[in-house]
Amino acid sequence: MKPIYMDHHATTPLDPEVLSAMMPYLKTAFGNPSSTTHDFGREARQAVETARQQLADWLGAADSDEIIFTSGATESDNLALKGIAYRSPDEKNHIITLAIEHKAILDTAKYLQKQGYEISYVKIDSHGIIDLDDLRRQIKKNTALISVQAANSEIGTMQPIAEIGAIAHEHGIPFHSDAVQALGKLDINVQRDKIDMLSISGHKFYGPKGIGALYVRKDLRLAPLIHGGGHERGMRSGTLNVPAIVGLAKAAEICERDREKENARLLQLRQKLRQGIESQIEHVQLNGHPEKRLPNNLNFSFAYVEGESLMLACRDVALSSGSACTSTSLQSSYVLRAIGVPDFLAHCSIRFGLGKSNTAEQIDIVLDLLRKHVPRLREMSPLYDLAKAGVDIEQLSWKDHDHDIHE
Ligand SMILES: *Cc1c(COP(=O)(O)O)cnc(C)c1O
């Protein structure tokens, strides 16, 4: 059987149109965009500035200067948090975020905490949606930044970004959003939604890997993490990756062009997959919000079936699991735990990340595989025996460690 890729939250393939747009800059147009004394440099500079303008327009930014190119969203997230923290006066040392953010946010926040910054995590409900009243309660005089993702990469939950932006602005606090999973799917406009900083990553929307950007509202100054030639208004030094930048803008253009059609198609495929699972397989639980989720995301727990074993059984389908076994530890997803999914169900979770290459026929193949393997693996599960005998599985304890599925 031909392999099926259903892990589009982890990465996406490069769009052939994007590759074509990049090719001249990988071959002949090799100039350094900082060397504008000659045509080689000027040609590269022109390409970069056109891309910057395209991305600014895409995000609804007021000015193309507000786009800072980075090596990807991990760097963008680091720059947003540390850039604010390190330039804020000593008395502004408090950052508000969510416990279900990407590790690029969570680990940066933990690092800042070790350096004396205060981090607060806003309450979320069992679907992963932010509690806006709790957000208001967490705001203090010394709050320097609110950082909330637009959509979650494991459970697809979408946050009320514009409402968060409004609250942040009422209090004069900058608002950062990691919009990596949402871009190309949701309609995001940084001015309308009152977003002051926004992280993007090329390889999550059919662009190249190793390129991303941070939108930074004009009047915000960030402490740079990388010092050097003063590129990107002094906020991110280093010779610009011209082919990747051109590819990033092209990928954005294609996403915007195809967004409505592709979203509608993804929703249909997802509906088919969801209905198939819910109607044909017993003991399943949908993780995340039933509606407020990315059109390409499903996350199901198949009770009594270890996620890893199910992935192994369906090895021709590229999926992700909220569980991972190593010889020394049994781990479950921090996102699922944070929304209160019991460990035994978190270990049984599978993330389906749909994308451009997926077809209705592939959904049928995946449903066939699940129908075949889930009951078979269940019959082999000692937990299933215990459950059938009436033992309360939730009370059994699991040895747990942090684990992140690749986002
Ligand atoms: C993938 C991802 C990142 C990291 O992006 P890279 O460009 O791979 O560094 C950050 N946040 C979210 C939500 C992601 O899905």
Side-chain angles (χ1 to χ4, degrees):
M1 154 187 168
K2 255 173 79 182
I4 294 175
Y5 188 74
M6 237 176 236
D7 201 13
H8 290 83
H9 298 292
T11 194
T12 57
L14 191 71
D15 188 300
E17 271 188 79
V18 172
L19 179 63
S20 306
M22 291 170 69
M23 281 315 269
Y25 301 93
L26 288 161
K27 288 157 112 182
T28 46
F30 61 86
N32 184 331
S34 299
S35 313
T36 49
T37 54
H38 48 66
D39 281 347
F40 295 89
R42 280 195 290 267
E43 184 183 20
R45 162 71 66 114
Q46 185 59 49
V48 166
E49 294 316 318
T50 303
R52 202 191 294 282
Q53 184 65 55
Q54 266 182 289
L55 290 164
D57 292 344
W58 188 44
L59 301 178
D63 195 317
S64 68
D65 275 1
E66 298 176 316
I67 305 295
I68 308 294
F69 291 113
T70 65
S71 63
T74 299
E75 185 186 332
S76 300
D77 287 348
N78 269 264
L79 179 57
L81 267 62
K82 292 176 188 165
I84 284 285
Y86 292 163
R87 65 103 234 213
S88 280
D90 287 345
E91 64 269 18
K92 290 242 179 191
N93 59 358
H94 175 229
I95 294 175
I96 297 177
T97 188
L98 300 184
I100 57 169
E101 293 287 327
H102 190 269
K103 286 288 180 182
I105 296 285
L106 291 181
D107 287 356
T108 304
K110 270 190 217 150
Y111 177 78
L112 288 170
Q113 192 170 22
K114 268 194 222 144
Q115 299 184 338
Y117 292 87
E118 198 187 331
I119 313 292
S120 301
Y121 301 92
V122 185
K123 271 192 207 144
I124 48 178
D125 69 13
S126 62
H127 297 136
I129 296 201
I130 188 171
D131 177 336
L132 294 175
D133 291 329
D134 192 52
L135 170 63
R136 283 202 181 82
R137 277 194 293 274
Q138 303 271 4
I139 292 173
K140 304 194 289 189
K141 272 212 183 62
N142 64 337
T143 304
L145 179 70
I146 295 171
S147 178
V148 175
Q149 61 189 194
N152 186 273
S153 50
E154 288 193 34
I155 52 178
T157 299
M158 307 187 298
Q159 301 295 343
I161 287 304
E163 290 171 64
I164 299 168
I167 293 170
H169 278 214
E170 259 169 52
H171 294 83
I173 299 165
F175 171 41
H176 166 255
S177 184
D178 177 335
V180 170
Q181 294 290 338
L183 279 167
K185 308 216 161 52
L186 309 186
D187 172 28
I188 290 183
N189 182 303
V190 291
Q191 290 188 83
R192 180 198 65 204
D193 300 340
K194 300 192 165 55
I195 299 170
D196 302 297
M197 293 189 282
L198 183 115
S199 298
I200 86 176
S201 171
H203 73 101
K204 301 294 175 80
F205 57 93
Y206 307 94
K209 293 178 177 58
I211 188 72
L214 182 66
Y215 158 79
V216 184
R217 207 187 64 217
K218 194 87 172 201
D219 53 349
L220 266 189
R221 288 306 293 177
L222 303 181
L225 303 181
I226 297 174
H227 300 85
H231 307 73
E232 302 299 271
R233 293 162 58 220
M235 285 188 256
R236 207 285 190 173
S237 288
T239 301
L240 292 170
N241 185 346
V242 182
I245 287 169
V246 168
L248 183 68
K250 188 69 188 177
E253 181 190 315
I254 296 169
C255 267
E256 197 49 41
R257 183 190 73 199
D258 299 345
R259 188 162 66 90
E260 279 182 31
K261 232 173 100 193
E262 180 60 9
N263 274 352
R265 200 187 70 89
L266 288 170
L267 273 174
Q268 261 190 347
L269 290 181
R270 187 188 63 191
Q271 184 64 4
K272 180 175 165 73
L273 182 58
R274 180 175 168 184
Q275 271 178 350
I277 291 172
E278 286 176 340
S279 64
Q280 298 167 22
I281 300 173
E282 278 187 313
H283 312 302
V284 295
Q285 173 185 297
L286 180 70
N287 300 311
H289 200 281
E291 281 99 37
K292 290 178 191 160
R293 68 193 303 145
L294 292 170
N296 64 332
N297 174 279
L298 272 186
N299 188 310
F300 268 106
S301 288
F302 298 88
Y304 320 114
V305 178
E306 183 69 33
E308 291 275 291
S309 333
L310 187 52
M311 287 206 307
L312 210 63
C314 306
R315 62 167 64 76
D316 289 326
V317 187
L319 295 164
S320 256
S321 161
S323 158
C325 296
T326 65
S327 52
T328 55
S329 68
L330 194 55
Q331 313 162 314
S332 81
S333 147
Y334 70 92
V335 171
L336 296 182
R337 275 183 287 151
I339 59 168
V341 175
D343 273 336
F344 96 94
L345 282 177
H347 281 286
C348 303
S349 73
I350 294 281
R351 177 183 70 180
F352 302 87
L354 303 177
K356 271 194 207 169
S357 70
N358 296 133
T359 60
E361 192 194 353
Q362 290 182 336
I363 301 290
D364 285 328
I365 296 174
V366 169
L367 284 171
D368 281 347
L369 285 168
L370 292 172
R371 246 195 331 263
K372 173 172 159 203
H373 292 296
V374 170
R376 181 180 67 78
L377 291 167
R378 239 173 223 159
E379 286 310 320
M380 289 158 57
S381 159
L383 275 184
Y384 193 42
D385 288 338
L386 289 174
K388 281 189 292 190
V391 175
D392 185 354
I393 304 298
E394 280 193 46
Q395 296 312 311
L396 298 175
S397 74
W398 292 76
K399 182 165 167 277
D400 237 53
H401 300 274
D402 258 5
H403 163 62
D404 42 319
I405 62 185
H406 299 285
E407 300 155 63

